[in-house]
């Protein structure tokens, strides 16, 4: 053991802090600032960078200080920290990704032979180089004056950063730094995977794979253009309160002026609970046999069977206190992002649906040339309304600033309509990304939302009032899609004013993708 504070201890710690930060944390900071700029613009990049810079330095100083209190502990853990740092650098520089839950999932989910193929000589050399740097540094120590000055510098500015983070973010940015920067990011990701993802993957494996129960085929594509299918799961969006269905408020100007856009005016859900509604959309289960959604795989497994690259990009969590039924469905995908990922990577506790777009861009780029199926899970119009959209989308004022029961009808409706305006923006951004591809998109809200009608607010009311069962449901197709599948789209247009529900989603996603199978029920296929 060494003294809790000694000059020799300080000199050794600060030398490793400086080296480790320069080698392994600065690349992460650069990567995170790139994402922050994509999400928020360049206005606050300097402030965000400075805050994370000093908090990451403080994190390393505390961690290395504690580890070096015992020589044996230091000799065990410091090489491990450098190992994690080297792996982090390799993935950042070669794949533009951090050591996150997805990386852990891919590594543990592959056969050993595939994992070994994924460890090239460059990664081995990176690790060897990092360990050599560690052992060289371990033979030296920083000068007394530079070590003391560096410690004072770190403590002074990191204290200011912590005070700012506490006042503005309730220390959320600090938690994000712990989860995102080497070496603690590896411990966090491994722990998070086993606590949350592992059980969902096991439950997904235990379900009956419908892609093996039925035969599926796609007639040969006449062009080389791949197909992109997008399913957007909305949140709390009522069909009677959207402009395309005749609502008098101008809250969806972008979509109503978009060519090839369809709104189903009589859409409804059979459940006003998200945890029931989402599985009903994505599995072949219907309202009378909901249990089937818990025992069979979803439509994602079908698209994977047909060779599609699949992704779940969500702004809601998958792992709540009450075990959600759509966690295993999401885990069927090749690529999974949920709200915890958005929070950690953005550094913000409040995550807007637009935060999902950079991940969609990344997935499209990485899978260019492949058929693609993507599920978005929005936060949409979930209460609290003012936390669902950036300030520039607050077009209707005033909004509710207290408990819903204490707010006027005008304030509640204003806030809700602002969320619809942001949904309009978000869906249009997806369409813009798909416009030059052969693509089709479906949107359906999980349920509606009561805005104090008959004294009810929110959803999940046992009596299932109509405001909670009425949902918005849309479709859109690109010109390249229509060149080959105009007849399918025309059939869907002809059903825009018919009674439709979540029961139609599974069969329509397959049918409108020109997939053939006995599992597809014609009466529930909007493209038949």
């Amino acid at each position: 053991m060494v003294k809790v504070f000694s000059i020799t201890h300080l000199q050794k710690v600060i030398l490793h802090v400086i080296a480790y930060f320069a080698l392994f944390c600065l690349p992460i900071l650069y990567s995170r600032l790139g994402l922050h700029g994509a999400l928020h613009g360049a206005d606050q990049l300097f402030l965000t960078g400075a805050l994370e810079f000093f908090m990451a330095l403080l994190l390393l100083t505390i961690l290395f200080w504690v580890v070096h209190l015992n020589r044996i502990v230091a000799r065990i853990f410091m090489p491990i920290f450098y190992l994690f740092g080297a792996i982090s650098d390799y993935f950042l520089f070669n794949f533009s990704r951090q050591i996150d839950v997805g990386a852990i999932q891919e590594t543990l989910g592959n056969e050993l032979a595939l994992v070994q193929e994924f460890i090239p000589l460059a990664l081995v050399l990176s690790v060897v180089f990092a360990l050599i740097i560690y052992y060289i540094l371990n033979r030296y120590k920083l000068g007394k004056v530079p070590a003391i000055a560096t410690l004072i510098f770190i403590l002074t500015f990191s204290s200011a950063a912590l005070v700012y983070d506490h006042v503005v973010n309730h220390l959320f940015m600090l938690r994000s730094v712990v989860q995102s920067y080497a070496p603690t990011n590896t411990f966090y990701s491994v722990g998070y995977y086993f606590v949350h993802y592992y059980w969902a993957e096991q439950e997904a494996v235990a379900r009956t794979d419908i892609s093996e129960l039925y035969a599926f085929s796609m007639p040969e594509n006449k062009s080389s253009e791949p197909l992109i299918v997008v399913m957007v799961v909305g949140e709390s969006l009522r069909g009677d309160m959207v402009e395309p269905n005749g609502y008098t408020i101008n809250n969806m100007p972008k979509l109503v002026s978009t060519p090839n856009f369809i709104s189903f005016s009589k859409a409804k859900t059979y459940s006003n609970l998200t945890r029931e509604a989402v599985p009903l959309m994505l599995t072949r289960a219907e309202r009378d046999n909901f249990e089937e959604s818990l025992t069979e795989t979803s439509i994602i497994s079908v698209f994977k069977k047909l060779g599609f690259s699949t992704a779940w990009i969500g702004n809601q969590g998958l792992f709540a206190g009450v075990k959600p039924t759509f966690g295993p469905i999401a885990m069927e995908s090749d690529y999974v992002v949920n709200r915890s990922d958005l929070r950690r990577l953005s550094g913000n506790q409040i995550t807007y649906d637009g935060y999902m777009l950079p991940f969609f861009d990344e997935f499209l780029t990485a899978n260019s040339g492949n058929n693609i199926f993507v599920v978005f899970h929005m936060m949409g119009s979930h209460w609290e309304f003012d936390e669902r959209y950036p300030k520039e989308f607050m077009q209707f004022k005033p909004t509710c600033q207290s408990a819903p029961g204490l707010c006027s009808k005008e304030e509640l409706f204003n806030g809700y309509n602002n969320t619809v305006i942001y949904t309009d923006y978000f869906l249009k951004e997806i369409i813009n990304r798909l416009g030059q591809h052969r693509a089709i998109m479906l949107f359906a809200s999980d349920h509606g939302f009561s805005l104090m009608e008959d004294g009810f607010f929110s959803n999940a009311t046992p009596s299932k009032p109509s405001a909670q069962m009425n949902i918005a449901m849309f479709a859109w197709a690109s010109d390249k899609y229509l060149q080959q599948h105009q007849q399918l789209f025309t059939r869907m247009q002809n059903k825009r004013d018919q009674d439709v529900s979540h029961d139609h989603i599974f069969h329509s996603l397959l049918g409108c993708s020109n997939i053939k199978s006995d599992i597809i029920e014609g009466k529930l296929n909007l493209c038949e």
Side-chain angles (χ1 to χ4, degrees), residues 36 40 172-173 176 342-344 346-351 355:
H36 188 89
H40 311 293
F172 184 81
M173 185 172 285
S176 181
L342 297 184
R343 282 176 165 172
R344 176 175 56 83
S346 70
N348 284 5
Q349 188 164 10
I350 296 176
T351 54
Y355 285 16

Side-chain angles (χ1 to χ4, degrees), residues 140-182:
Y140 299 93
K141 56 187 179 182
L142 201 62
K144 292 182 181 180
V145 174
I148 294 173
T150 303
L151 179 63
I152 293 174
F153 172 79
I154 293 173
L155 293 179
T156 300
F157 286 97
S158 62
S159 297
L162 286 173
V163 170
Y164 178 90
D165 189 34
H166 173 68
V167 172
V168 176
N169 304 310
H170 305 291
L171 293 180
F172 184 81
M173 185 172 285
L174 175 62
R175 298 196 295 274
S176 181
V177 167
V178 173
Q179 297 167 5
S180 303
Y181 282 81

Side-chain angles (χ1 to χ4, degrees), residues 307-322:
F308 282 67
S309 299
T310 58
W312 179 288
I313 306 175
N315 192 18
Q316 294 201 38
L318 301 176
F319 317 108
V322 177

Side-chain angles (χ1 to χ4, degrees), residues 378-423:
M378 297 177 63
M379 187 59 74
S381 299
H382 197 290
W383 178 257
E384 298 180 0
F385 300 144
D386 285 354
E387 294 187 356
R388 306 300 164 224
Y389 52 85
K391 292 181 180 179
E392 59 266 29
F393 289 86
M394 186 181 283
Q395 296 188 22
F396 300 102
K397 302 176 183 179
T399 59
C400 182
Q401 301 297 316
S402 60
L406 301 178
C407 293
S408 67
K409 179 179 179 180
E410 178 189 13
E411 290 172 331
L412 292 175
F413 275 68
N414 283 344
Y416 188 84
N417 278 313
N418 289 334
T419 68
V420 181
I421 289 173
Y422 189 59
T423 294

Side-chain angles (χ1 to χ4, degrees), residues 10 26 29 97 103 168 203 223 253 290 308 310 347 398 416 491 513:
L10 173 64
L26 278 181
L29 176 62
R97 69 180 302 176
V168 176
E203 185 171 327
S223 71
F290 173 75
F308 282 67
T310 58
Y416 188 84
R491 292 170 184 164
S513 301

